[in-house]
Amino acid sequence: MTRRTASHSAGQSPWLADALIAWYATAARDLPWRRPGFPAWGTLVSEIMLQQTQVARVIPRLETWLRRWPTARDLASEPPSEAVRAWDRLGYPRRALNLHAAASVIADRHDNVVPRAVPDLLALPGIGDYTARAVAVFAYGDRHPVVDVNVRRVLARALLGAPEPGAASAKRDLPLMEAQLPDSPERAAIVSAAIMELGALVCVARRPACDACPISAHCAWRSAGYPAGDGPRAPKQSRFAGSDRQVRGLILAELRGAEIPVTDAEIRMVWPDAEQLGRALRSLLDDGLAEAVDGGYTLPNGSASSPGWSSSSSSSS
Ligand code: SF4
């Protein structure tokens, strides 16, 4: 069978919402951000932590974070260095800085209440379209399509008959998901959570568990006999070991553990390749994740002086 096109199936598929809601009622994981009364601030923090980081690693860090900073103002009242320190090893630590910056705006301009409207959420530092919609839907119960990589994969397979979703496209993905949402905002939010859960647990990238899938009877890709895709394959994740990301993480670990500035000499101890080390340090300084101060480097406290590091200076000593 030939692959269906979006134009064949971009309309509403009434079976999808009902099947997802019924499945989610019994299969959903008990996750902190799904519990009744979970605050909007917690939803925002969890959504940012969940970008690029697995659920199991996020949960303990999120719980610690919210105990320490139960509102945006609590976080904003401390320096950004504390956010980066508490981020620990969740990866992509610019998210900690963004969260701190967003917390400051929420505290100052929104009376310490996470905004509800998508445009207001988008105006927060570091908040993208996905996160803004996710907060509006999962924290406030509003009706918006929310599309992440798991949702795109389920939509591609179940409705479009394709094995992989291809590159993200808001123009294509949002109307397709919107068409699947019931009119009721409450049910629409459940459908959004359920389709994400299906993509995370059942319709996974490799070896989807079709026998356990609540929508298998209607799945276009399955019905077509799982044809191979003709689109571009998703890019492979780049290797972490030996990458600049690894070196950045090692430098940040030094800065996190230090009560006083970390010296050039101490930083040189973390990685043997001076050029790569200099590049990683400069990128941390450029990103605002490290500051050059008298005597060395610290996490960002807003007291930067001119950086003194260069790879050539390191290799000469
Ligand atoms: S039947 Fe298989 S491929 Fe289709 S949506 Fe379910 S898990 Fe995914």
Side-chain angles (χ1 to χ4, degrees):
M1 278 178 75
T2 55
R3 172 180 162 176
R4 293 189 200 180
T5 63
S7 60
H8 289 151
S9 46
Q12 190 167 34
S13 309
W15 50 270
L16 185 62
D18 289 345
L20 286 172
I21 290 171
W23 172 78
Y24 189 72
T26 58
R29 290 170 292 178
D30 175 24
L31 299 174
W33 45 89
R34 291 177 178 165
R35 291 176 193 151
F38 196 72
W41 166 242
T43 302
L44 177 63
V45 175
S46 68
E47 286 295 343
I48 292 175
M49 286 186 171
L50 286 164
Q51 295 163 9
Q52 317 270 2
T53 307
Q54 296 149 334
V55 166
R57 290 181 58 212
V58 163
I59 290 174
R61 186 61 47 206
L62 174 72
E63 290 175 343
T64 304
W65 189 283
L66 293 179
R67 268 196 302 275
R68 180 172 176 182
W69 297 307
T71 74
R73 182 165 288 135
D74 296 314
L75 174 59
S77 67
E78 296 204 37
S81 56
E82 288 306 301
V84 176
R85 186 170 277 121
W87 198 256
D88 199 18
R89 294 170 193 277
L90 285 181
Y92 297 98
R94 261 205 78 78
R95 293 181 291 169
L97 278 187
N98 288 337
L99 196 44
H100 186 277
S104 300
V105 175
I106 293 167
D108 293 346
R109 295 191 208 150
H110 297 281
D111 201 19
N112 206 26
V113 176
V114 174
R116 177 171 186 159
V118 169
D120 291 341
L121 286 158
L122 281 171
L124 297 174
I127 303 299
D129 190 61
Y130 165 78
T131 305
R133 290 167 178 278
V135 170
V137 171
F138 300 132
Y140 292 115
D142 291 341
R143 186 183 181 283
H144 300 284
V146 187
V147 178
D148 70 355
V149 65
N150 287 326
V151 173
R152 289 198 300 113
R153 185 169 55 254
V154 175
L155 293 175
R157 290 173 176 174
L159 300 184
L160 307 181
E164 295 297 334
S169 159
K171 204 170 156 189
R172 177 200 61 207
D173 300 335
L174 292 177
L176 185 56
M177 187 62 221
E178 161 88 38
Q180 315 313 319
L181 296 179
D183 292 338
S184 150
E186 190 184 351
R187 281 171 58 82
I190 296 171
V191 168
S192 290
I195 195 167
M196 273 182 204
E197 191 78 334
L198 190 72
L201 299 182
V202 178
C203 193
V204 294
R206 288 185 191 188
R207 300 204 181 116
C210 300
D211 289 344
C213 177
I215 58 174
S216 61
H218 300 280
C219 173
W221 188 44
R222 188 171 200 241
S223 303
Y226 304 109
D230 51 9
R233 298 184 81 82
K236 279 190 181 166
Q237 195 156 21
S238 54
R239 200 168 49 92
F240 178 73
S243 67
D244 284 8
R245 270 190 63 217
Q246 183 185 11
V247 185
R248 280 166 57 102
L250 292 170
I251 297 171
L252 269 183
E254 284 293 306
L255 301 184
R256 273 195 208 100
E259 299 286 328
I260 58 174
V262 177
T263 65
D264 267 340
E266 288 167 328
I267 285 186
R268 281 176 209 134
M269 302 286 287
V270 307
W271 193 253
D273 182 334
E275 189 174 330
Q276 191 177 19
L277 192 58
R279 189 167 63 235
L281 179 57
R282 281 193 297 277
S283 74
L284 288 173
L285 292 165
D286 289 346
D287 285 350
L289 285 163
E291 283 188 3
V293 298
D294 284 347
Y297 303 91
T298 66
L299 292 176
N301 283 304
S303 56
S305 60
S306 60
W309 171 276
S310 74
S311 58
S312 57
S313 70
S314 71
S315 56
S316 64
S317 54

